[in-house]
Amino acid sequence: MKRITVIGAGNVGATCVNEIARRHLAEEVVVVDLNEGASKGKALDMWQTAPIQGFSTRIVGAGNDYSLTADSGVVVITAGLPRKPGMSRDDLIGTNAKIMQSVVEQVMRHSSNPIIVVVTNPLDVMTYAAYLASGLPHQRVFGMAGVLDTARYKAFIATELGVSPRDVSAMLMGGHGDTMVPLPRYTAVSGVPVRELMAEDTLQAIIARTKVGGGEIVNLMGTSAWYAPGAAAAEMVEAIVRNERRVLPVCAMLQGEYGMRNLHLGVPAILGENGVECVLELHLDEGEQQLLCASAQAVKSVMCTLDGMDLFPQKMGALPL
């Protein structure tokens, strides 16, 4: 691929850029940020690692000049503000939705048919905002959350069992946050069901820890994670660029799958050169389906909050599931 763009030169965006370059996914990675110094400085610093790391992908700091992003095949959006003390959920949604609208409109002026991967929080509704702002088919606009959440889930299982995380397979669905739905029935270590390897109370403790995995890191460092989120976004980009048709948990629009429609929700999907090639429908039991529906309702309520702000002429949040 000729060009990939990452919007946002913060820790997550910079980590994503570095991973994309090291994986040789494009001839050029462009870093866009309102902070011109951060964009150009981090790009230059990472480019100077190329002789050491052995990659040839050129890293370009664009500042806020979107003309340098022209004809990007994939655009990763990490730009947005974290929630600050005294800021309500609605304040955060409104602020980041305006940022998302501005970013996507500028992206679309210079790239006619990109694939957009959203990382900005609150993830599910920001993916929805990016879809509305872009005018692209829904298969080309989706969010990164499940890859990160599943990675945390796998890492905790690997730690508990003393095994390689490479041997842990798992799936996680639902919204990004405490309504996410880890699926123990679809969790195994080299094909061995996880419930044969650990006690149920231990497994449930791991699930509970996964749901607050981001908060745990904030409590330890005083800021949100960046290594795992950046790497997770890069893994999705790699699946797209190399047309790997990886089965990954993706925040994708549902159009009847799982009995739901008109919302973005974390589901297993095949990722390839066209974006979301297909959403896979797992056979959920009654309890799992109830948890997924509860997660969907939580996401839907946030979508309706955004729709009430009248930022986008096209709206879907008020439509039924």
Side-chain angles (χ1 to χ4, degrees):
M1 180 170 287
K2 181 179 180 182
R3 181 173 293 120
I4 294 171
T5 291
V6 177
I7 312 293
N11 290 330
V12 175
T15 301
C16 182
V17 169
N18 196 46
E19 287 285 334
I20 288 170
R22 291 180 61 190
R23 297 181 192 210
H24 310 278
L25 300 183
E27 296 176 25
E28 180 179 275
V29 185
V30 178
V31 191
V32 176
D33 199 286
L34 283 171
N35 185 332
E36 184 174 352
S39 168
K40 294 184 176 181
K42 289 186 179 182
L44 181 59
D45 189 17
M46 285 185 281
W47 173 238
Q48 289 170 359
T49 72
I52 302 167
Q53 300 287 357
F55 64 81
S56 56
T57 297
R58 187 64 186 264
I59 303 174
V60 177
N64 199 41
D65 183 0
Y66 279 79
S67 68
L68 297 179
T69 73
D71 301 319
S72 292
V74 179
V75 176
V76 180
I77 302 177
T78 70
L81 296 179
R83 187 167 174 175
K84 299 177 181 178
M87 179 181 284
S88 70
R89 184 193 70 167
D90 288 2
D91 289 338
L92 179 64
I93 293 169
T95 298
N96 280 351
K98 290 176 183 176
I99 293 172
M100 187 63 64
Q101 183 181 42
S102 173
V103 164
V104 172
E105 287 177 352
Q106 292 180 83
V107 165
M108 296 304 299
R109 289 192 190 106
H110 300 282
S111 300
S112 61
N113 195 36
I115 290 174
I116 296 177
V117 181
V118 178
V119 183
T120 305
N121 281 318
L123 187 280
D124 309 279
V125 73
M126 288 303 109
T127 304
Y128 167 56
Y131 165 71
L132 293 180
S134 71
L136 290 167
H138 66 83
Q139 297 91 339
R140 301 185 74 83
V141 184
F142 43 89
M144 187 291 295
V147 174
L148 169 62
D149 294 331
T150 303
R152 288 171 172 159
Y153 181 41
K154 292 177 180 179
F156 297 152
I157 289 172
T159 300
E160 176 63 30
L161 295 176
V163 301
S164 169
R166 294 173 62 187
D167 292 330
V168 181
S169 59
M171 184 51 64
L172 184 149
M173 299 176 64
H176 183 47
D178 57 11
T179 66
M180 70 177 72
V181 186
L183 298 173
R185 284 199 309 122
Y186 291 94
T187 305
V189 180
S190 286
V192 180
V194 71
R195 283 188 164 122
E196 294 188 17
L197 300 173
M198 67 174 65
E200 186 65 25
D201 60 344
T202 302
L203 178 59
Q204 292 303 319
I206 287 173
I207 290 173
R209 186 183 182 191
T210 301
K211 290 182 177 182
V212 295
E216 180 179 357
I217 290 176
V218 170
N219 290 336
L220 289 168
M221 300 197 304
T223 187
S224 56
W226 63 82
Y227 293 120
E235 182 176 38
M236 293 176 70
V237 173
E238 184 170 27
I240 296 161
V241 170
R242 302 199 192 285
N243 193 27
E244 292 178 329
R245 297 184 64 82
R246 294 280 308 279
V247 177
L248 296 170
V250 176
C251 179
M253 179 183 285
L254 299 184
Q255 291 293 297
E257 300 89 352
Y258 298 97
M260 305 175 194
R261 60 178 60 250
N262 303 317
L263 85 160
H264 288 84
L265 194 68
V267 290
I270 298 174
L271 274 192
E273 63 183 353
N274 299 308
V276 175
E277 305 280 356
C278 176
V279 170
L280 302 181
E281 288 196 73
L282 305 180
H283 296 289
L284 303 182
D285 63 28
E286 183 177 352
E288 292 163 344
Q289 184 68 31
Q290 288 177 350
L291 289 172
L292 186 63
C293 287
S295 186
Q297 290 292 352
V299 170
K300 198 73 170 178
S301 69
V302 183
M303 288 175 62
C304 289
T305 297
L306 177 60
D307 280 344
M309 296 176 180
D310 289 327
L311 294 175
F312 304 96
Q314 179 188 0
K315 300 177 185 179
M316 294 185 303
L319 299 177
L321 290 173

